[in-house]
Amino acid sequence: MEPSTALFDSILGPTALYCDLRQWDEDKPPLELNWETSCLNPKNRIESLAPLNCSQWRQDGVDVDGTRFFMVPTFSIGKAPLRVDVYIPGQAETPLLLRQTLQSGAAMTLRSRQAINLPLSHHVLRAIERWSAKDPDFQSQYASLPFGSKIVIDNLHADLAQMDIHLVRTYDVEQSLHSLTSLQSMWSLTQSLYPPTIDLSGLRFHSQPHEAITLVHLPPPHSPSELYVFKSLTRSQKYLYHELYTLLTMPLHPHLVPLPLYLVTRHCLFGGKIGVAGFILPYYSHGTLHSLLSSGCDIPCRAVLRWIRQLASVLLHIAAASPAGFYPDLKPDNILLIPPRNWSSASPPSLFDFDILLIDLELRGGFPSFTPPEVLHLENMLTISSRLTTCPKVHSKCVALLKSFFPPDNFLVPPPKEDTKYKFEGNERGFSLAWRSLGIRSRWEKAMVFMLGKVMWCLGEGRETLGCGIGVEMLREEQGDCWRRDADDERECNGLHNHDDGEQEPRIRKRRPGFPEFRVTPKELRPLIEACTAGAPEWEGRRRAVELRGGRIMPVHDSIVCSSTDGNFNGDDDNDAGYRMTAADTQKLAKEWWREEVRAAKRYCEDIVRRRSDGEEEEENDVLKKAASRPSLESVLKWIDELEAKGKVRNNGNA
């Protein structure tokens, strides 16, 4: 099954259980060959998919859904960032042959910077270049756009001239901005806590690597060569404002993102309001823990233990000092590597001597694979209540259950549409109802310990992703790049092996180990990971049903025999069953997997509601009992101190 935006509801979330089985384009019989649809017909032929040599536009990245491109005209570089992105239709709205030629699905499976080299990216860039060049007044029109406007491509076509492209002036983002006075009135914070303001016009655009991150230069007295992060959102500003509130109200910590240097204001074109469009943070250029782990390097145990201690320390700080009391999105992507204090550029330290810095305090929630069960069950039910529109009976039952689970003043039913206006009252702990529902510090702490245990596993195994569960993060984890002779072989197989009789031995393709499998994690660290992740369904044998393999969503198979000498899969091979299954078969497997997930979520909610009604202890619920058995953050710190003191923790080598 090729990746597309249709997967969000039909494969990657709990609504998949209720989605009708569909006939996917790739399962349909191939069209009869005729000149009208042939790719040899000049009208269907793409002129070029090579990169443009002298483009008037530049692409910096692609959003996770593969339909939003961070493209800017070169004349805007060095000027105020306007956050004008390019939007294309969803993959299913493009003819199958064209999207296969453009590799549209790969825009969802590659990370933002990698996707700019796809044929799709080159094609969209050429279309934008051709379209904008026809308007002699384009530069002045672009410069006058409201913040957060869009360039919309209605259709993808092999012929650039057949693509309908529009410059859309939208005032939605500017209208949703709050003035500084409005924020101060809501938060009632001491005036001295607020950083100084800087107008958007004073920033100089450098690049847009991520939906929320713009790299900019600041005006004098700042160095013209130094980069800073301008954090802004063009959707759901409430998360941006709540992160700002959290940063302003929390004491500093050496391993937590620091206070903003400036608040960035924008003189809105409609109504004349001066709104807060974002804030400025320092730029750390050494990457994330995710990028380090994905490089495949061996991380020494001294670095693993030090980083675990630093993470436990900052989570303990958040539990005690954050207005929310929890951090819901711990994952390698949100952990930056920063130079140690007092480092010298003359003799730079190894990355393994760097410290970590936790970022992103939007408090939305996190990836399902990192989320503890006591939170994930609620998130699955909330997703059904907000996204399921095709089954009114199921939807009404789900809403009724959630009404009885949440206090009446904490749950609006049905959930409102995405509210673009930030409201602070009643949302002091953020906007994740599932995390807020835990209600007490001890539960929040044990939930954070669970995520910490998952990150420990990533560090121990040298994996940037967990390889468990089904969710949007699955689109960015490729299971098909690890070849093993067998489960006990600790060597990479770099080629086929010859028998004594001269015949070549077929290679066995093994899945990369996913949580909770241990291969190279130091044995001394494994009990701590097991204790921290108590309650994870994977410990009881729960495994995902589908995975990303070869750039497609495929059924999970522990091993597939590849009999071709070039290492490619042969679709006719009897042993290669996974590659002969249809997209509809894959959808069926996902539906069955989600059936058990939704059942577990319902059982959890119903049991809590019953216990409250009967006056029984909620902590006797099986899910909460396992959560309570996890160690505290203080215990984790003591455990790490003891391991370091013993000095016996060793890397086990690569497996």
Side-chain angles (χ1 to χ4, degrees), residues 467 479 509-513 517 519 547 556-558:
Q479 288 287 354
R509 190 186 199 194
K510 286 283 184 180
R511 289 179 60 249
R512 296 176 71 193
E517 300 172 64
R519 293 198 177 187
E547 67 186 3
V556 170
H557 293 283
D558 284 339

Side-chain angles (χ1 to χ4, degrees), residues 326-348:
F326 57 83
Y327 179 85
D329 198 12
L330 189 63
K331 58 186 178 183
D333 291 273
N334 284 342
I335 301 169
L336 296 182
L337 298 173
I338 61 172
R341 280 174 280 183
N342 302 321
W343 77 301
S344 170
S345 57
S347 56

